[in-house]
Structures are given as structure tokens and as C-alpha cells.
């Protein structure tokens, strides 16, 4: 099992460019989520999904779009990159329990720099 | 909102027991309490999850009082490799809005 796979691991963008961070999981998890982590800070939830076709906003959704067309994939799109979006992005997945998520499995992260 | 509050940092010595307490005054009736560990340049890793009373696994114990407004992660006999950031997480929106908070930076000294 690969677990949660994120691509690319590193990316440099210019202000105004768009790009997609890919996230795939092979554990058949219903729940997937995206976080950003700025230096020295905790993780902040961007968007999450509890199943194919269902997405919802987290704490910091502005400037990001997501879609969930399959159980396996949950791409994160930056519409028009800004320097404030320079961060490390983590994707996670989990099964759905009776009280929410179970153990979250994280990818290795994608380090994004916006110039 | 089920916001969590933890100490910013803690120091310990190898071999000691470490207890990290998290406050979550507005926890919803059905929410789990989950703890994660994060090393630099890595994604968080699950430690333990509980709903009430006490939960124990091979690496930690989680103590949750009856009112569930706080929880305490207990790490027995820490080693240098336990130096990391520890996050307490309480899910919102039916347990799916996974808000991490700032975490507690644990530094274990020899």
C-alpha cells in the first residue's frame, strides 16, 4: 500500500499563476482533507470531503478550490497564486466513523513557494 | 467552535513521564478527542483517540474526565526521539472539520 501520495513535493510559482496539488489514497477512505502549515505554526484546514461528490470549507478556504470526483483523488487547486500561499501543504485521509474521522493518514507534504 | 488550548511548550528529561493537557471547553457531545505527533518536515502521525474515560495503547494513554472539557495525553518514559510537536484535535461539524490548533512543542533532554 502506498497510503497517501502527494505530488509534486516541491513547486515554485509566480504570483498569479495557477496550479493543482494532487492527492491520492489507496485505502478506500471516505474522508480526505487538505491543510497548510506555515513555518512554526500548526496545521490549518483548507477543505475537506466526506465522500465522492461532497466537499466543504475548512478554516482557510479562500484562494483554493477542490473537487472529489472519485474516492481515491482529492486535488487542490490554487486559482491565482499569491505570496501569502507560500506554505507546506498536507493531504490526509481517514475512514468515517460514527463520531467523525478515525485516524488521519497524512501524505509527505508539498512545499510551495510563490514568488 | 470546539477550539482547543494547549501549552505552547514543555521540557522533560529522558525516562520521565510527560503529561500534556488540552482544554476543549466547547466539545460537542459526540466528538472524539485525538492526539497527533509531528516531527519537522513530516506530516502528523496518529497517537491515540478516545471519547471518554481512559484509553491506552502501546505508546501512550489518554485520560478524559467525565465532563470531557479537557484531556491529558500521557507519554511514559520519554526518550530523545519523542521531541516533537503534539496536537490535540477535536472534530467539529459532526467530527469532520478537523481543526488542529497550535500544538505543544515537547523537548526531551538527555
Amino acid at each position: 500500500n502506498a497510503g497517501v501520495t502527494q505530488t509534486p513535493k516541491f513547486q515554485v510559482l509566480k504570483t498569479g499563476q495557477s496550479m493543482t496539488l494532487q492527492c491520492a489514497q489507496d485505502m478506500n477512505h471516505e474522508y480526505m482533507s487538505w491543510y497548510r502549515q506555515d513555518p512554526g505554526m500548526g496545521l490549518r484546514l483548507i477543505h475537506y470531503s466526506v465522500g465522492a461528490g461532497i466537499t466543504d470549507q475548512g478554516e482557510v478556504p479562500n484562494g483554493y478550490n477542490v473537487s472529489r470526483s472519485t474516492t481515491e483523488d482529492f486535488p487542490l487547486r490554487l486559482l491565482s497564486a499569491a505570496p501569502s500561499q507560500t506554505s507546506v501543504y498536507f493531504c490526509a485521509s481517514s475512514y468515517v466513523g460514527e463520531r467523525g474521522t478515525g485516524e488521519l493518514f497524512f501524505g509527505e507534504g508539498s512545499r510551495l513557494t510563490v514568488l | 467552535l470546539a477550539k482547543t488550548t494547549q501549552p505552547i511548550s514543555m521540557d522533560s528529561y529522558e525516562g520521565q513521564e510527560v503529561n500534556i493537557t488540552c482544554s476543549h471547553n466547547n466539545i460537542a457531545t459526540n466528538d472524539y478527542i485525538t492526539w497527533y505527533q509531528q516531527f519537522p518536515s513530516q506530516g502528523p502521525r496518529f497517537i491515540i483517540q478516545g471519547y471518554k474515560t481512559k484509553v491506552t495503547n502501546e505508546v501512550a494513554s489518554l485520560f478524559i474526565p467525565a465532563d470531557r472539557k479537557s484531556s491529558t495525553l500521557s507519554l511514559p518514559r520519554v526518550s530523545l526521539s519523542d521531541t516533537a510537536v503534539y496536537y490535540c484535535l477535536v472534530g467539529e461539524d459532526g467530527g469532520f472539520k478537523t481543526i488542529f490548533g497550535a500544538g505543544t512543542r515537547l523537548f526531551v533532554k538527555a
Side-chain angles (χ1 to χ4, degrees):
Chain A
N1 277 353
V4 178
T5 302
Q6 292 184 231
T7 55
K9 287 186 169 47
F10 300 93
Q11 182 72 48
V12 179
L13 289 178
K14 294 181 179 178
T15 297
Q17 287 184 318
S18 62
M19 76 155 300
T20 300
L21 298 176
Q22 302 290 346
C23 178
Q25 52 93 7
D26 60 1
M27 297 172 281
N28 202 32
H29 284 162
E30 303 99 321
Y31 181 88
M32 296 186 75
S33 51
W34 276 102
Y35 307 84
R36 60 174 289 175
Q37 187 171 34
D38 299 332
M41 306 290 286
L43 285 81
R44 289 186 290 171
L45 179 66
I46 304 172
H47 286 285
Y48 63 100
S49 168
V50 298
I54 306 169
T55 63
D56 211 337
Q57 295 182 347
E59 302 172 89
V60 289
N62 292 340
Y64 307 95
N65 272 0
V66 292
S67 59
R68 185 93 180 270
S69 56
T70 67
T71 299
E72 295 78 18
D73 300 299
F74 191 42
L76 178 73
R77 297 182 188 84
L78 281 70
L79 308 173
S80 177
S84 61
Q85 293 179 303
T86 293
S87 191
V88 179
Y89 291 83
F90 289 102
C91 178
S93 73
S94 172
Y95 67 85
V96 170
E98 60 180 16
R99 294 194 178 99
T101 65
E103 173 183 351
L104 287 167
F105 291 84
F106 282 83
E108 294 183 343
S110 297
R111 187 177 295 273
L112 175 67
T113 300
V114 182
L115 303 175
Chain B
L1 296 178
K3 182 178 177 180
T4 59
T5 303
Q6 303 174 231
I8 294 173
S9 64
M10 296 180 68
D11 287 344
S12 183
Y13 288 94
E14 281 191 293
Q16 288 188 332
E17 178 185 74
V18 171
N19 296 311
I20 306 174
T21 297
C22 178
S23 171
H24 28 79
N25 291 321
N26 296 322
I27 188 170
T29 303
N30 290 330
D31 285 345
Y32 281 126
I33 300 157
T34 314
W35 285 80
Y36 289 85
Q37 175 192 56
Q38 187 181 28
F39 297 113
S41 302
Q42 295 184 21
R45 185 173 66 178
F46 174 88
I47 301 173
I48 198 166
Q49 184 179 68
Y51 180 69
K52 59 182 178 181
T53 63
K54 177 184 174 182
V55 180
T56 297
N57 62 21
E58 62 276 9
V59 298
S61 295
L62 178 60
F63 298 91
I64 305 170
D67 66 7
R68 299 192 346 111
K69 293 185 183 298
S70 66
S71 60
T72 299
L73 173 73
S74 181
L75 304 172
R77 298 179 299 282
V78 295
S79 63
L80 296 176
S81 62
D82 292 317
T83 293
V85 179
Y86 293 81
Y87 294 97
C88 161
L89 186 151
V90 174
E92 303 173 19
D93 185 26
F96 300 116
K97 200 166 186 177
T98 47
I99 307 297
F100 269 78
T104 297
R105 204 168 292 271
L106 174 65
F107 185 68
V108 180
K109 297 178 274 190

